[in-house]
Amino acid sequence: MDLATLFYWIDHLGVAVFAVSGTLLAFRKNMDGFGVIVLATVTAIGGGTTRDLILDMPVFWVYDPQYLYTVALAALSTILWLRYKDYIHQKTLLLADAVGVGFFTVMGALKASEAGFSPLICIIMGTMTACFGGMLRDVLARDVPMVLKGELYATTCLIGATVFVLIEPYSQLVAILVGGATTLLIRLGAIRWQWSLIVFHEHHDGHR
Amino acid sequence: MDLATLFYWIDHLGVAVFAVSGTLLAFRKNMDGFGVIVLATVTAIGGGTTRDLILDMPVFWVYDPQYLYTVALAALSTILWLRYKDYIHQKTLLLADAVGVGFFTVMGALKASEAGFSPLICIIMGTMTACFGGMLRDVLARDVPMVLKGELYATTCLIGATVFVLIEPYSQLVAILVGGATTLLIRLGAIRWQWSLIVFHEHHDGHR
Amino acid sequence: MDLATLFYWIDHLGVAVFAVSGTLLAFRKNMDGFGVIVLATVTAIGGGTTRDLILDMPVFWVYDPQYLYTVALAALSTILWLRYKDYIHQKTLLLADAVGVGFFTVMGALKASEAGFSPLICIIMGTMTACFGGMLRDVLARDVPMVLKGELYATTCLIGATVFVLIEPYSQLVAILVGGATTLLIRLGAIRWQWSLIVFHEHHDGHR
């Protein structure tokens, strides 16, 4: 299997994992099957769609419908699993989201890099690919967006994408593995020990 | 009147109906005239704008400002009518939304089809054109998005657009009429009998 | 200093002011440093990004990363200032937003005009550039969008952009100064005297 094929499958894995995370949130919000379709799809392809629009490249799923089948398959499997289990730990949702973030950060940066954009834009695009799907998911489901709740969300992607960009000139494959692993591990650590970056003192707001 | 002219007017009708639905929601939320302008416009042109961006086609209202006048006229008429009536049935909002969904599903699929995209992408684009304007409307007005509330919302569009795509090779006009009618009737039935697709058992979530 | 350079700096000022407004809202919502990064960035570049996507022009910050440094610098300065002051008046947030709206209305209209679009589209693009960043900020932070709360928000931009478009054929510089000042003054007056445009009678909604 050559590298391009490997990357293609990693990309599909990221899409599948985010579709699972959308389905899990729909379950937690007691939505029915129709809400699941919308939430799974928007979560899975929202980040990459925003990236492709901003870079003025063809939107990835328009010319390769295989991605849409991946979303459908991932959502369906999750529904069947949830019918059997009938509950989810909040941790499961966070974990699915973290794995998706790891995959999408490196794949977003890789796509920008292969199109010849500067390292800074590659880092931003990795972050955007990883963060926007989940952000749309949370806004639609009227949850507090994870990306704003601390726990190093967007910052994790910035770090992971930077690692990718630094290693990429030497080996794409190593850059993807190390960048993705860095993102995933920092994100898991942030969830486990609730890392946050306090920049403001505690305050009470009486000025609405 | 040739087909292109007919389609142009159907498109304007869809825009007008969605502008009405945005205005009705602004009324129900006690917004003032400025909120109405924003909500009517976003609802009416949000879906088609998203479609054109993703297909990398010129955004429809940028090169034909007539659409913006249609939005203004529809919103103004609705305001005058509401000043006279002073109340709306919740049903009226749902009905306006359903008619708009019917028009936009077929017109979105038609536009993708005329640009030469595959049947699957035509179906997705019909659904997106019909669903995104209302989704933006609900997110901005901080309502639960209709598209996630069950009652077959996005699925109706998927079905209607599929009907359109199946008939279109034989006759565009018949495809538009039958596809649009199918969408509208399923949507009305779903509202009337509150169809939903239960995929999860009832559950209580103690894992926040 | 030639005009192009002046406009470039005005554009950066607008970006900086909106980054400040995003940071202030993050402070009021008790977010940590990671939420600040996301909210400041989305507020500052969201409007211009939407404009560039719809006009099918290269997105402004992709080819000039200086804008991203401006966002970072503005957000960092605001954080340091808030650590020292430890409170904000609600007025400060409204004022920062108003100044950003003034800058972005004229710069959005100018960019559309220089690309040769019709006066109506220039007016819409000025309004969109000014309104969309703040709209995304409020949606993400789960606030009622300012743009829907009356006080002449979007309408102010429509008026300011129209003034710009009317004067621009004679002098770009005068058009920018007068258009920007008009927008800012109307917006400040609207906040000070709570202007609203009542188009509906008071009503109570029993039809949910």
Side-chain angles (χ1 to χ4, degrees), chain B residues 91-184:
Chain B
K91 288 258 166 71
T92 314
L93 178 52
L94 283 172
L95 189 69
D97 192 82
V99 174
V101 162
F103 281 130
F104 270 19
T105 299
V106 289
M107 297 316 292
L110 176 68
K111 185 152 183 188
S113 163
E114 298 215 313
F117 288 94
S118 71
L120 178 64
I121 294 301
C122 295
I123 292 170
I124 303 279
M125 286 302 143
T127 306
M128 179 172 283
T129 309
C131 292
F132 261 61
M135 203 168 89
L136 291 172
R137 174 196 64 206
D138 296 340
V139 166
L140 281 178
R142 312 213 304 170
D143 246 15
V144 182
M146 276 192 194
V147 75
L148 295 179
K149 275 200 298 191
E151 291 167 358
L152 270 172
Y153 202 102
T155 316
T156 302
C157 304
L158 288 172
I159 298 170
T162 306
V163 168
F164 170 85
V165 162
L166 291 176
I167 302 179
E168 209 223 353
Y170 310 104
S171 158
Q172 272 194 333
L173 186 59
V174 175
I176 283 180
L177 294 177
V178 177
T182 307
T183 313
L184 180 60

Side-chain angles (χ1 to χ4, degrees), chain B residues 27-28 30-36 38 49 53 59 61-63 65 69 82-83 86 88 90 139-140 142, chain C residues 53-54 117 120-121 125 135 139 142-145 148 150 152 154-155 196-197 199-201 203 205 207-208:
Chain B
F27 170 77
R28 197 154 68 67
N30 275 312
M31 289 176 194
D32 68 4
F34 310 124
V36 170
V38 175
T49 303
L53 288 178
V59 174
W61 51 268
V62 170
Y63 298 94
Y69 300 133
L82 284 170
R83 287 178 69 91
D86 207 21
I88 47 161
Q90 173 65 8
V139 166
L140 281 178
R142 312 213 304 170
Chain C
L53 288 178
I54 288 180
F117 287 94
L120 179 64
I121 294 302
M125 285 304 143
M135 203 168 90
V139 166
R142 312 214 303 170
D143 245 16
V144 182
L148 294 179
L152 270 171
T155 316
S196 70
L197 175 64
V199 293
F200 302 126
H201 306 286
H203 70 100
D205 174 32
H207 300 283
R208 289 216 55 156

Side-chain angles (χ1 to χ4, degrees), chain C residues 44-83:
Chain C
I45 68 180
T49 303
T50 314
R51 173 200 61 209
D52 293 344
L53 288 178
I54 288 180
L55 296 184
D56 204 12
M57 298 168 75
V59 174
F60 68 105
W61 51 268
V62 170
Y63 297 94
D64 182 358
Q66 188 60 46
Y67 285 100
L68 300 170
Y69 300 133
T70 300
V71 172
L73 192 68
L76 196 67
S77 315
T78 312
I79 287 173
L80 293 175
W81 182 72
L82 284 170
R83 287 178 71 90

Side-chain angles (χ1 to χ4, degrees), chain B residues 35-57:
Chain B
V36 170
I37 297 175
V38 175
L39 216 54
T41 310
V42 166
T43 310
I45 67 180
T49 303
T50 313
R51 173 201 60 208
D52 293 345
L53 288 178
I54 287 179
L55 297 184
D56 203 13
M57 299 168 72

